[in-house]
Each structure stands twice: as structure tokens, then as C-alpha cells.
Amino acid sequence: MNTTQATLNTAQTLAVAGFDIANLSAPAARVTFDVPVIFDADGEPVAGIRIVGKNSDEYRKESHAVRAEGYKKSAKRKTAIDASTDEGADQLVYVIDDNQKRLALAVAVDWYGFTSNGAAVAFDKALIATAFDKYPTWQDRVTAALENDANFLKV
């Protein structure tokens, strides 16, 4: 007989508690998630990026803008990008990478642990964009965290 009681994660707690239908008409609480990007020698996070999820206004607005721009560009070209050519494949990869970066930047709303000469630095999206260019894995971490709905569930 196992007497150990496991703690439930957010998704499991929701499954047990059910979903209160009144939440559909209540204002949504802003839910953030910390994405660590720098770790100390013991593997503990010391700096990271705070993000909002796909239900946030930030994500929805940027996602809409990305899709609308894509439709406009496609209508101007009158054809889809021909990915069977080197030029078309490069163009398609550039568009996909750019869209992914825009969405990752849109959900970044704060950071923690970033300093300059020992003083905390105010959040700056331009610096995050520069960091994503220099450290592409940071953008990958934000995108992966964004894709995990459990990171943004609040019971």
C-alpha cells in the first residue's frame, strides 16, 4: 500500500475540480509564466523572461496582425510562395521565423534577474529582440512555454 500523497499539478486540479462555467463571463485574470534563460552553477534559474499565454490580448493582437499581413502579402503576390525553389524555400523560412519571433516578443511582458553593473535593468522589448537574435534558444524556450497551456491555467 502506497501512503505517499502526490501533489496535483494545475491541469490535474482542474480535472478534479471541474470548470466553473461562470468563468466564461468573468473577466480573465492576467496569468504570467516565468521562462528561465540563465542558470547558476547549481542549475537554478537566475534570470528569465516573464510571458503571458495565448489567451492574452498581447498574443491575440499580434497573432491577428501576423495572419492579416500574411493574407495581404499573398493577395499582392497572387500566388503562394514556391517552396520548391531555393529562393522560395528561403523566403518561406524567413517568414515563418519572423512570425515566430514576433509572437514570442508579443508575449514577453517582463523579465527578472537582468542587471547592468549590478543594478536591475528595466524591461525593454528591444533588448529582448536583440537577445533572441544572439541566443535563439531563448526564443525557443519562450515558444515552448507558450505552447504548454498548463503554464497558464489558474485554478
Side-chain angles (χ1 to χ4, degrees):
M1 181 170 127
N2 185 354
T3 58
T4 307
Q5 184 168 356
T7 54
L8 301 178
N9 68 29
T10 305
Q12 292 166 327
T13 304
L14 278 176
V16 171
F19 180 78
D20 185 350
I21 203 71
N23 286 331
L24 292 176
S25 59
R30 183 178 178 96
V31 180
T32 59
F33 182 77
D34 289 346
V35 180
V37 295
I38 298 175
F39 303 86
D40 66 15
D42 296 326
E44 294 297 317
V46 294
I49 302 166
R50 189 161 291 127
I51 65 171
V52 291
K54 288 186 174 183
N55 292 329
S56 68
D57 287 339
E58 292 90 343
Y59 179 86
R60 289 177 179 198
K61 286 176 185 174
E62 194 63 26
S63 177
H64 178 85
V66 163
R67 287 179 293 144
E69 289 170 21
Y71 290 132
K72 285 193 277 186
K73 286 177 185 176
S74 180
K76 286 179 184 175
R77 279 193 305 266
K78 306 260 194 245
T79 62
I81 296 172
D82 182 4
S84 67
T85 67
D86 288 343
E87 181 182 333
D90 285 343
Q91 184 181 7
L92 185 59
V93 167
Y94 174 79
V95 168
I96 291 169
D97 289 348
D98 185 59
N99 290 348
Q100 187 176 24
K101 182 178 182 181
R102 286 177 60 183
L103 292 172
L105 284 170
V107 298
V109 294
D110 201 5
W111 60 20
Y112 60 94
F114 288 95
T115 62
S116 178
N117 295 322
V121 176
F123 178 71
D124 182 342
K125 279 202 192 240
L127 290 176
I128 293 287
T130 301
F132 284 173
D133 290 338
K134 184 166 184 172
Y135 305 108
T137 56
W138 291 15
Q139 180 181 319
D140 293 344
R141 286 176 171 275
V142 167
T143 300
L146 181 62
E147 293 299 325
N148 186 350
D149 282 342
N151 291 338
F152 305 98
L153 295 176
K154 195 166 193 162
V155 180

